[in-house]
Amino acid sequence: MTEDHSRPDWDEYFMDIASLVARRSTCTRRRVGALLVRERRILSTGYNGAPTGLRHCLEVGCLRDQLNIPSGERHELCRGLHAEQNAIIQAALHGVGTAGATLYCTNHPCGICAKMIINAGIVSIVILDGYSDKLADEIFAEAGIQVKTL
């Protein structure tokens, strides 16, 4: 029996880690993982879920489901933070700069996250899949942030 010794490229490697991080998600609608990387070093990770110390949607149910809010709309009506937000917040909490970083995310960022990504100095994004947010796409293009889909 021969072993497969193929190695993933860097984008695949970091996306595999982001996918693993997504497994920690406490969202009942969509599990998302994110990773901030600079110079092939992981700066921080994040997954979607309620803020530290608050009960998760897995425990109390989904507010968005209760209010019949469609996916991709009214992001502010949610108990949880997005994975991208948590990755940026974790970096800030631990004093890790994000300027020049690449964001690896299992889903396309929303418009709110796009604005945070720009102000955090993140220069490129690699996504696995997910809905495309038209506003986010326009903002990324205007800011010159490269978005690559694996």
Side-chain angles (χ1 to χ4, degrees):
M1 180 164 91
T2 61
E3 292 183 42
D4 179 10
H5 290 287
S6 64
R7 295 175 70 197
D9 66 25
W10 287 106
D11 285 344
E12 293 170 322
Y13 172 74
F14 289 124
M15 190 59 74
D16 285 350
I17 296 170
S19 295
L20 181 62
V21 170
R23 292 176 48 197
R24 289 283 305 154
S25 169
T26 59
C27 178
T28 59
R29 283 186 164 197
R30 182 185 307 251
R31 294 175 124 189
V32 181
L35 211 67
L36 287 175
V37 174
R38 187 176 51 236
E39 298 176 7
R40 297 183 181 161
R41 300 291 182 252
I42 297 170
L43 304 176
S44 68
T45 65
Y47 54 85
N48 54 330
T52 303
L54 299 186
R55 292 179 297 154
H56 295 284
C57 297
L58 290 174
E59 301 168 293
V60 298
C62 176
L63 176 63
R64 295 174 60 78
D65 281 346
Q66 294 163 10
L67 298 174
N68 294 316
I69 299 170
S71 180
E73 296 179 15
R74 304 292 313 267
H75 297 288
E76 75 280 6
L77 295 175
C78 179
R79 290 183 62 81
L81 292 160
H82 288 185
E84 306 92 304
Q85 294 168 338
N86 271 325
I88 292 167
I89 291 165
Q90 284 302 308
L93 184 65
H94 296 287
V96 177
T98 57
T102 295
L103 171 74
Y104 288 85
C105 194
T106 58
N107 287 85
H108 191 288
C110 72
I112 294 170
C113 288
K115 292 179 267 187
M116 291 181 68
I117 288 164
I118 292 166
N119 277 1
I122 295 164
V123 296
S124 63
I125 302 167
V126 180
I127 60 173
L128 188 59
D129 62 24
Y131 62 90
S132 179
D133 184 303
K134 184 179 177 188
L135 176 60
D137 288 335
E138 291 171 3
I139 289 172
F140 289 143
E142 185 176 343
I145 294 178
Q146 174 191 1
V147 180
K148 174 182 175 182
T149 302
L150 287 186

